[in-house]
Amino acid sequence: MQIPIRVKICGLSSQETVDAAVTLKADYIGFVFFHKSPRFITPEKCTKLVKNIPKTVTRVGLIVDADNALLKDITANECIDMLQLQGQETPERIEEIRQKTGLRIMKAIGVSRKKDLSKIKPYLDVVDQLLIDAKPPKGSVLPGGNGIAFDWEILRGEKWSIPWILAGGLNAANVKEAIDIT
């Protein structure tokens, strides 16, 4: 059985990149609401960028250990459909975020070795989707894999009860290999 492949393009911050992602039929378009990121945008800018995104595309807001005030700012203008939690959010905090926002939740999990996959289990009952990414490089102030690929072999044969997305270092030269392995 072939599993459908869905594409997420994240960190968009201009109308040109949003329009290109829509034209190329991305399934998810991500906006970064983390001040330390070079791809950071404000909720107000997000509202402007999403005006022409069709309802078939999921608009994702990436946050990192956001407080309730930021959650309120992001969700007040309804520019996103789903939150991507990229920080150290616990399952309890995720439940609180879901109740406060009413949005679907994607939890990012950083991995580098097979044993890191054990971090996934506590989230399976509280999120709608997983995003499996590389661990941040040592000393990085940015969470996530920062565009670095990890050894996808650790995912071979893994199955979870909820949908998941592979992230980190994917490009035209390696994406087919990543799909074949995972």
Side-chain angles (χ1 to χ4, degrees):
M1 176 177 99
Q2 174 122 0
I3 297 171
I5 303 298
R6 298 182 51 105
V7 175
K8 178 176 178 278
I9 301 176
C10 194
L12 303 182
S13 58
S14 71
Q15 196 62 60
E16 294 77 24
T17 57
V18 169
D19 292 346
V22 169
T23 299
L24 294 171
K25 306 225 183 297
D27 300 291
Y28 303 84
I29 295 179
F31 302 98
V32 177
F33 298 105
F34 181 58
H35 283 89
K36 293 180 182 178
S37 172
R39 299 179 293 171
F40 166 78
I41 65 168
T42 64
E44 295 76 23
K45 184 166 185 180
C46 179
T47 301
K48 292 175 185 171
L49 292 174
V50 302
K51 288 192 184 308
N52 296 320
I53 296 177
K55 294 291 182 198
T56 56
V57 177
T58 301
R59 302 165 300 168
V60 180
L62 184 153
I63 59 175
V64 180
D65 299 317
D67 62 19
N68 291 342
L70 178 58
L71 289 171
K72 185 176 179 183
D73 286 347
I74 293 169
T75 58
N77 56 17
E78 300 180 5
C79 77
I80 59 170
D81 306 308
M82 176 181 254
L83 288 169
Q84 177 179 323
L85 307 182
Q86 198 78 32
Q88 301 302 312
E89 301 87 2
T90 64
E92 296 78 20
R93 175 62 175 148
I94 291 171
E95 286 289 351
E96 183 182 343
I97 290 170
R98 182 189 302 283
Q99 288 177 3
K100 288 188 178 304
T101 66
L103 294 174
R104 292 177 288 152
I105 306 288
M106 178 187 304
K107 176 66 179 136
I109 306 287
V111 300
S112 63
R113 308 179 291 211
K114 187 82 168 170
K115 76 177 202 173
D116 292 329
L117 299 179
S118 66
K119 296 186 290 185
I120 293 170
K121 188 175 182 179
Y123 296 100
L124 293 175
D125 292 331
V126 297
V127 300
D128 301 288
Q129 200 161 357
L130 298 168
L131 183 136
I132 312 299
D133 199 355
K135 285 184 176 178
K138 290 200 184 301
S140 176
V141 297
L142 299 175
N146 296 279
I148 299 168
F150 61 95
D151 181 6
W152 303 311
E153 284 292 337
I154 67 173
L155 298 177
R156 189 182 291 276
E158 290 291 334
K159 298 199 181 335
W160 293 287
S161 58
I162 59 175
W164 62 280
I165 292 177
L166 179 64
L170 297 169
N171 59 49
N174 67 15
V175 73
K176 182 182 180 329
E177 176 187 9
I179 292 168
D180 289 346
I181 291 171
T182 63

